[in-house]
Amino acid sequence: MKQVIIVPRNGYLNRLQAMASASLLAESLGADFSVCWLPQAAAPAPQEVVFASDSELRFITESELERTLGFSVESFPHYVNSHDVSEIGRVITLAGHDLGEQPLMSDFAQALHAGKSESVVIVAGGRFSMNSGSQPVTWDSVDFRNDRSTWYRTLELAPQIDSAWSGLIGEPFIGLHLRYSDRSHQTPSRSEIKRAVINLCRSTGIDRVFVASDSRKEREHWCEILSGLGLFPWVVENDFVSHAEFTGDVLALIDWRILAAAQATVYFAESSFGYEAAVASGNFDQSVALSPNVLLSLGVRVRAIARSLLGAPRRRGWL
């Protein structure tokens, strides 16, 4: 095997999970590792905004990727496939699509052992490993987490990200990550969040709490609540970053780097952002993953259905 190429998809942490997974795969195969970073709506920042220019990661262009594939990225097939490309050789492709990559690992391993292959190209937005064969997409293991943690520690992000977070952390702290925008139907209750933070502060003896959220309203709410409890919350303000076009993206990655330096983190179980921050910190077992509150989830779904029903007459031209 000469090379493993990853085309990371979805949000930034989905992408970093996929990159870590593919890099570890390449290492196990003794192959070169490359990344084709193609911005999307969920991760619009280009490669140069996210990664250091002197990063040890090797990036290739979309045209270089398509020369290896022999077809366009838009034509990338689902699941596990292989084909021959003139002047390249046999290429194996993997894209979990609706199934996810981890459930396809046994099929992928069979394709690897079916004959000599020159390249593997993977389109993915999550973690995967060949070490356990096919498993549910939620599968993880202690060894795999440790390997990703090591990979994240060597990852070089752009100076505007890495020079910022390292100068902010100061004394030990715990993290609180609140994911609402696209996970509002999978959130714990505020009382559950409060209880988890208080218990973690007591068990660690730490009273500094870094608060990160995709909701400014929730972030401000929790800073007020935590201050009232005698704790010392802190945040990274929007005006900290000067890169105007991608300020939100840069701030999110700074938040993630800071969470990854926490002694432990309270996060929403359904959020890969918080989950991988806990992994990267090396303090995964000390961190607290909060499951969705059943009543809150039901309420969000009921409101969504009600909005859809109320809007139906207008959408259908009845009004």
Side-chain angles (χ1 to χ4, degrees):
M1 180 66 59
K2 288 185 177 179
Q3 63 177 340
V4 172
I5 301 172
I6 182 69
V7 186
R9 304 309 247 175
N10 305 326
Y12 293 106
L13 261 299
N14 296 102
R15 288 168 172 247
L16 292 185
Q17 283 187 90
M19 289 169 62
S21 301
S23 177
L24 293 168
L25 172 66
E27 183 179 351
S28 70
L29 296 174
D32 293 333
F33 174 63
S34 301
V35 180
C36 183
W37 182 270
L38 303 176
Q40 293 177 291
Q47 165 197 323
E48 58 269 19
V49 170
V50 179
F51 300 97
S53 59
D54 58 350
S55 169
E56 292 187 2
L57 291 172
R58 178 177 181 266
F59 291 92
I60 63 172
T61 64
E62 185 172 356
S63 60
E64 290 175 304
L65 171 68
E66 292 180 347
R67 279 198 294 273
T68 298
L69 285 173
F71 50 76
S72 69
V73 178
E74 287 75 17
S75 302
F76 203 93
H78 298 167
Y79 315 131
V80 178
N81 295 274
S82 64
H83 63 286
D84 292 317
V85 180
S86 60
E87 300 181 2
I88 297 292
R90 183 169 178 258
V91 178
I92 298 173
T93 59
L94 168 65
H97 192 54
D98 57 316
L99 300 179
E101 286 71 40
Q102 193 61 50
L104 299 174
M105 284 297 103
S106 294
D107 292 343
F108 179 63
Q110 288 178 9
L112 285 175
H113 294 115
K116 182 181 178 182
S117 302
E118 298 295 323
S119 303
V120 167
V121 182
I122 302 170
V123 173
R127 62 181 182 266
F128 54 89
S129 170
M130 283 182 56
N131 291 343
S132 71
S134 293
Q135 298 286 344
V137 292
T138 55
W139 174 86
D140 206 350
S141 71
V142 173
D143 288 343
F144 191 26
R145 284 195 293 268
N146 289 340
D147 288 342
R148 297 202 310 281
S149 179
T150 300
W151 192 87
Y152 290 137
R153 284 197 296 272
T154 64
L155 178 65
E156 298 170 292
L157 297 182
Q160 62 182 335
I161 298 169
D162 278 352
S163 64
W165 74 266
S166 58
L168 290 173
I169 56 176
E171 296 298 318
F173 63 94
I174 69 167
L176 172 60
H177 181 245
L178 308 157
R179 179 70 174 270
Y180 284 97
S181 58
D182 60 338
R183 297 287 178 179
S184 58
H185 62 296
Q186 296 173 318
T187 62
S189 68
R190 283 179 169 177
S191 62
E192 290 168 327
I193 298 170
K194 181 179 177 180
R195 183 165 54 249
V197 172
I198 290 173
N199 289 340
L200 193 54
C201 286
R202 285 175 178 169
S203 65
T204 60
I206 297 172
D207 58 9
R208 293 183 72 224
V209 183
F210 173 65
V211 183
S213 179
D214 55 0
S215 166
R216 184 178 184 88
K217 176 184 175 182
E218 290 295 328
R219 192 178 71 170
E220 292 174 350
H221 168 82
W222 281 101
C223 284
E224 182 178 344
I225 292 297
L226 296 175
S227 294
L229 293 171
L231 301 174
F232 299 92
W234 58 288
V235 302
V236 177
E237 298 292 351
N238 288 355
D239 58 6
F240 187 80
V241 176
S242 60
H243 199 296
E245 187 178 359
F246 298 104
T247 294
D249 307 85
V250 171
L251 283 170
L253 289 167
I254 291 173
D255 278 352
W256 186 77
R257 282 294 214 189
I258 293 173
L259 288 171
Q263 301 302 304
T265 296
V266 174
Y267 65 94
F268 296 0
E270 300 298 324
S271 168
S272 58
F273 194 99
Y275 186 97
E276 289 302 295
V279 169
S281 71
N283 298 316
F284 183 85
D285 291 339
Q286 291 74 41
S287 296
V288 179
L290 296 176
S291 300
N293 182 278
V294 175
L295 292 178
L296 284 178
S297 299
L298 179 61
V300 170
R301 290 190 178 94
V302 169
R303 288 193 294 274
I305 292 170
R307 285 195 298 270
S308 178
L309 291 174
L310 289 171
R314 186 176 299 278
R315 289 197 306 272
R316 297 175 182 179
W318 297 346
L319 295 177

